[in-house]
Amino acid sequence: SMATAAPIVMTTKSFTEQHILSALTTQYLRKQGFEIEPKTNIATVIGRNAMINKQVDMTWEYTGTSLIIFNHITQRMSPDETWQTVKKLDAKLGLVWLNPAPMNNTYAFAMSAKRAEAEHIETISQMVAKLEHVRQTDPDNNWMLGLDLEFAGRSDGLKPLQKAYNMPLDRPQIRQMDPGLLYNAIRDGFVDAGLVYTTDGRVKGFDLKVLKDDKGFFPSYAVTPVVTAKALKDHPGLDAALNKLSPLITDEAITEMNKRVDIDHQSPQQVARDFLTSHNML
Ligand code: PBE
């Protein structure tokens, strides 16, 4: 009889896109005959350590996240070079980067479109100039920036961004919250501007204006299945299955799926099922 390998343990992070990727992977791999055990709501660094310690077999990580946070490379490079670089460096830890999805879920700052237009703000530099101006001329109305829970501590996050944009910012001007709450907070004016993920369906759905990263601060963030070399050996065909899934995750496809969950209130499981069915994969 055939020896059965332990189930594939997969972590994903705590925002809608990652819940959808978890559902897509779980449903598709089960259909392909793999046993998979998804674990959701795992913070970036916790998930990374679990991969390195081989407590976890696979995850969906963003290329720029590994480049800057895990591998400390801040040099600017093309999306393909970014993937090639993390693939090469992470291989030394027994982590295999499969084919990246043709998408870029980058961080951005956003404002309500109406307000951005009224205040003539189109770029992060213009936002920084504005908040500096307010800070100096009307300190009681200091701008409030909304951030998610990871950005302030990340090496592709707040501190280096402040340096790149010459943005002095005192602690009381920041409000940190669950990433899923930021879109409402920006739309409803609880914050003046906030951090968004560009493939989130609420950027368009809530009529938010994404400010241009005019200094080219952010790298490219293509989501990619990352699997331990051991799991690939234990589960023949796993790489081929994941490489069939990742090319379907375009900016357009994932933004639409994100929208269905966050605006139309469908479950990630339902959205994943519809997507896989439409591609004849279930
Ligand atoms: N993000 C946006 C990435 C980085 C850019 C939140 C999708 C992440 O590491 O989760």
Side-chain angles (χ1 to χ4, degrees), residues 90 140 215 220 254 268:
D90 279 355
D140 291 342
K215 296 214 191 280
S220 80
I254 192 68

Side-chain angles (χ1 to χ4, degrees), residues 228-246:
T228 65
K230 179 178 183 317
L232 289 179
K233 217 173 98 221
D234 290 348
H235 302 276
L238 179 59
D239 48 356
L242 291 169
N243 279 338
K244 209 178 152 201
L245 193 52
S246 61

Side-chain angles (χ1 to χ4, degrees), residues 67 71 73 84-93 95:
L67 186 75
N71 289 297
I73 296 174
Q84 298 283 356
T85 303
V86 297
K87 187 178 173 62
K88 198 168 138 199
L89 292 171
D90 279 355
K92 295 177 187 163
L93 300 169
L95 305 181

Side-chain angles (χ1 to χ4, degrees), residues 12 15 27 40 44 55 59-60 64 81 94 97 112-113 127 129 156 159 166 214 222 228 263:
T12 47
F15 53 94
Q27 291 176 28
T40 56
T44 298
Q55 293 159 317
T59 193
W60 284 87
E81 273 179 287
W97 283 68
S112 88
M127 177 188 85
D156 55 351
K159 286 196 184 106
N166 195 16
D214 54 308
T228 65
I263 307 241

